[in-house]
Amino acid sequence: MAEIILTPQDVQKHKKYLIIAIALHLSFFVVELLISLLISNANSNAADSVDMLIDGLALIVALCVVNKSTSSKNKASVIVGCFQLFSALLVLTKIIYSFFYPETVSYIYVVCFGAGALLVNVIVVFLFKKIKNQGMHLKASYIFSFIDIYSNLGMIICGLLGMYVLHDKPVLVASLPDLIVATIIFILILTEGIKIFIEVKHDGEKEQEK
C-alpha cells in the first residue's frame, strides 16, 4: 500500500472515530463479561465480551499509530492479529469446559446483549466505512466490526431458540444453542486474525514490487 498522506483534519477525524469506537467496545466488554460470569452463564456472552475487548485493544493500537508510516500501521495490524488468535484460544477453552460441565443459560441476556453488540458494531462500521482505506489499521478495525455483525445476529437467533424451543430440555441440550453461537464467534475471531495477517502480507508484497 502506498504511503498515505493525511491532513491535520484527517488525523483529528480518525482520532475522534477511534475514541468513540474504543469507548463503545470497552464499556460493552465490562458490562457483558460481568453479566456472563455472574448471571447468564452464557458462553456466547463471554465469547462476545472477549471479542469486544480484543476489538477495543485493536482500536487503541490503531489510535497510537494514527499519522504514522504505513510500515508502523502494518506492524500494529500484526499485533492486533496476535490479539485475535490469543482471544480465539481463550474462547475455545471456555467452550470445551462448558461442554463437559454445562450450566443453565439465561438466554434473555444472550438476546439482549446480542442486540446491543449488533448496534455497537453497526455504529463502528458506519464510522469507519469512508476511512477504512486510509490505513491498514483502520481497515482492520472495519473488518472486525463487519464480521462481528454476523455473530451478533447468531446470538439473537440462538438466544430466541433457547428461550422458546429448548427451555424445558435437559441442561446439556438446552445449552447447545449457546455453545453453537460461542463456537461461531470463536471461528469468526480466528478468521479475523488470519485475515489481518493475509492483508498485511499482501501490503508487504505490493510495497516490495514498487
Side-chain angles (χ1 to χ4, degrees):
M1 182 182 291
E3 198 73 35
I4 298 173
I5 306 300
L6 300 176
T7 66
Q9 291 78 11
D10 288 333
V11 172
Q12 289 304 313
K13 182 169 67 173
H14 291 183
K15 288 183 177 180
K16 178 182 176 181
Y17 288 175
L18 285 165
I19 290 171
I20 292 172
I22 289 168
L24 288 171
H25 278 286
L26 295 186
S27 298
F28 206 87
F29 154 70
V30 172
V31 176
E32 188 171 21
L33 181 63
L34 289 175
I35 291 296
S36 69
L37 294 176
L38 301 178
I39 301 176
S40 72
N41 295 323
N43 284 281
S44 50
N45 284 148
D48 188 61
S49 69
V50 170
D51 189 38
M52 282 286 180
L53 172 62
I54 298 303
D55 287 353
L57 294 176
L59 290 163
I60 291 173
V61 171
L63 181 62
C64 293
V65 297
V66 169
N67 209 27
K68 302 291 185 181
S69 67
T70 299
S71 175
S72 296
K73 292 172 182 177
N74 285 346
K75 288 177 182 177
S77 296
V78 170
I79 294 173
V80 170
C82 291
F83 284 156
Q84 293 291 126
L85 297 181
F86 178 70
S87 66
L89 179 61
L90 290 178
V91 171
L92 180 61
T93 301
K94 182 71 167 61
I95 292 169
I96 293 172
Y97 176 84
S98 296
F99 179 80
F100 290 103
Y101 303 97
E103 296 179 295
T104 301
V105 176
S106 297
Y107 279 107
I108 182 64
Y109 294 100
V110 176
V111 175
C112 290
F113 279 94
L118 176 63
L119 178 60
V120 168
N121 285 310
V122 167
I123 291 172
V124 174
V125 165
F126 177 78
L127 289 175
F128 283 82
K129 186 174 182 179
K130 292 184 179 180
I131 63 173
K132 63 184 175 69
N133 292 321
Q134 296 180 16
M136 188 60 220
H137 62 309
L138 297 173
K139 192 171 185 179
S141 299
Y142 176 84
I143 290 171
F144 291 162
S145 294
F146 187 82
I147 293 178
D148 287 346
I149 288 174
Y150 294 102
S151 66
N152 300 148
L153 291 172
M155 285 179 67
I156 296 171
I157 293 170
C158 286
L160 292 172
L161 179 65
M163 286 174 61
Y164 296 109
V165 178
L166 301 175
H167 62 281
D168 57 349
K169 302 298 181 182
V171 175
L172 179 59
V173 176
S175 67
L176 285 179
D178 178 56
L179 291 172
I180 291 171
V181 172
T183 302
I184 292 172
I185 294 175
F186 156 73
I187 294 171
L188 290 176
I189 293 174
L190 187 64
T191 302
E192 289 171 359
I194 293 172
K195 190 167 185 177
I196 293 305
F197 284 113
I198 293 173
E199 291 279 355
V200 171
K201 181 181 178 181
H202 285 171
D203 272 1
E205 290 173 348
K206 289 179 182 178
E207 195 68 25
Q208 290 178 357
E209 290 174 358
K210 296 181 178 181

